[in-house]
Amino acid sequence: MGTGAVINGKLVPVSGLEVQNFLDDPRLKLAPDDVRPRNAREQAWIHMIVVHTTGGIPGGKDLRPQVINPGVGPSSNAGERVVGSWTHDSTRHGGAHFIVDFDRSVYCCADLVTEAAYHAERANGPSVGIEVVQSRSAELYQDQMDAAVQLVLWLCANMPTPIQAQIPLPYQGKPIARFVESQDLATPLSDVVGVVGHRDLTANRGEGDPGNAIMDALATAGCERFDFEAGQDIVTWKQRQADLGIAKPDGIPGPATVAALKATGHANGLWMLAPGNR
Ligand SMILES: [Zn+2]
């Protein structure tokens, strides 16, 4: 059984996915040191989705390549299992809003609006975190990745302020300098809108968090690739905002830009993806 994601205390079904959540099953609730309330400003505009793998392979000392198995994998009881591993690891904070298991099951472990999960340090405040389960032998499954992509696109269209479905260029072996340098606690990543990998935010993670396969699948599904390092997103959006008639284009597709997109035929407020997610 699954009833959906939790957005501002409300259960919202996710089209095409079975989503079990912490309101239905308290074992999915994150421990108090793995999650915190978002403050009012954070709640007002959540503008990033950060994608992870639980194994982060290849990364650190484990440089085995990811193995993408065809089809669907077995359940690993990932919701209870992964939340439990975060809870019992008192040496570090860990948590995410979603866990995607090998069998396409999705687990929602925190409220997308009112709670910030501890998955990406200073990006926690403005972001939703998704952990894609990776086995000890570095395996992922194709259907699992498809489910993760479906979840990302649904979130882009269904967050209170829709998040533009835009992703970085293929990974260059290091985080994107703009994301790291702009990690100022007062205004964390306030000019970044879109879907990024954990590896794009920090040098502490390697290529496999989340790996090229997932990011490439997002591109194939219609996400727009930008050279964030060079500010291509800002330049492109300034032009789009000017075309939309926005008085002071700032290059950041926030709530006013989404409203202008909706008013000009982009029914879900997204530039790239039509209603129904595509
Ligand atoms: Zn990660």
Side-chain angles (χ1 to χ4, degrees):
M1 285 295 291
T3 53
V6 181
I7 300 183
N8 238 334
K10 293 198 181 66
L11 293 179
V12 185
V14 180
S15 45
L17 295 173
E18 277 287 309
V19 182
Q20 299 174 56
N21 62 68
F22 64 96
L23 297 180
D24 293 338
D25 182 349
R27 292 171 302 182
L28 299 177
K29 194 164 178 49
L30 297 177
D33 63 349
D34 294 334
V35 69
R36 66 165 172 80
R38 291 197 210 265
N39 63 38
R41 200 194 56 183
E42 290 167 347
Q43 288 194 28
W45 186 39
I46 296 153
H47 49 92
M48 297 175 72
I49 297 169
V50 182
V51 185
H52 307 254
T53 53
T54 56
I57 309 168
K61 289 179 181 144
D62 190 344
L63 297 178
R64 292 173 295 168
Q66 288 185 353
V67 177
I68 314 297
N69 291 324
V72 69
S75 167
S76 73
N77 191 26
E80 188 184 349
R81 183 174 60 81
V82 176
V83 169
S85 73
W86 287 329
T87 301
H88 295 125
D89 182 354
S90 56
T91 60
R92 56 185 277 270
H93 302 303
H97 295 87
F98 290 103
I99 299 166
V100 183
D101 204 349
F102 303 129
D103 67 348
R104 286 179 56 92
S105 291
V106 177
Y107 300 90
C108 176
C109 310
D111 190 304
L112 305 188
V113 170
T114 63
E115 294 181 305
Y118 291 159
H119 61 100
E121 299 180 0
R122 280 184 254 184
N124 292 336
S127 74
V128 170
I130 300 175
E131 285 279 1
V132 180
V133 174
Q134 184 179 29
S135 77
R136 288 183 193 282
S137 41
E139 294 166 312
L140 305 166
Y141 287 82
Q142 187 62 50
D143 286 13
Q144 174 195 22
M145 288 204 304
D146 294 346
V149 168
Q150 229 174 310
L151 177 62
V152 167
L153 298 183
W154 184 87
L155 287 168
C156 287
N158 288 280
M159 286 299 286
T161 297
I163 299 170
Q164 300 303 317
Q166 49 196 33
I167 62 174
L169 294 181
Y171 186 59
Q172 300 299 311
K174 55 182 184 343
I176 293 167
R178 177 172 139 214
F179 294 177
V180 178
E181 286 163 6
S182 65
Q183 281 191 352
D184 158 15
L185 270 178
T187 53
L189 297 166
S190 54
D191 65 350
V192 179
V193 174
V195 186
V196 305
H198 195 189
R199 65 191 186 181
D200 298 311
L201 298 170
T202 172
N204 297 333
R205 307 298 299 171
E207 176 193 314
D209 191 358
N212 296 333
I214 293 173
M215 299 310 288
D216 289 349
L218 285 167
T220 302
C223 292
E224 191 173 19
R225 274 199 143 131
F226 279 127
D227 186 347
F228 281 94
E229 186 99 52
Q232 188 189 12
D233 55 316
I234 302 283
V235 172
T236 304
W237 277 102
K238 275 188 181 168
Q239 185 59 53
R240 288 176 183 172
Q241 288 168 327
D243 294 345
L244 287 164
I246 291 173
K248 289 183 181 163
D250 62 1
I252 305 167
T257 305
V258 166
L261 285 167
K262 283 183 176 172
T264 53
H266 295 80
N268 53 19
L270 301 182
W271 182 267
M272 287 301 288
L273 303 173
N277 291 341
R278 286 301 310 274

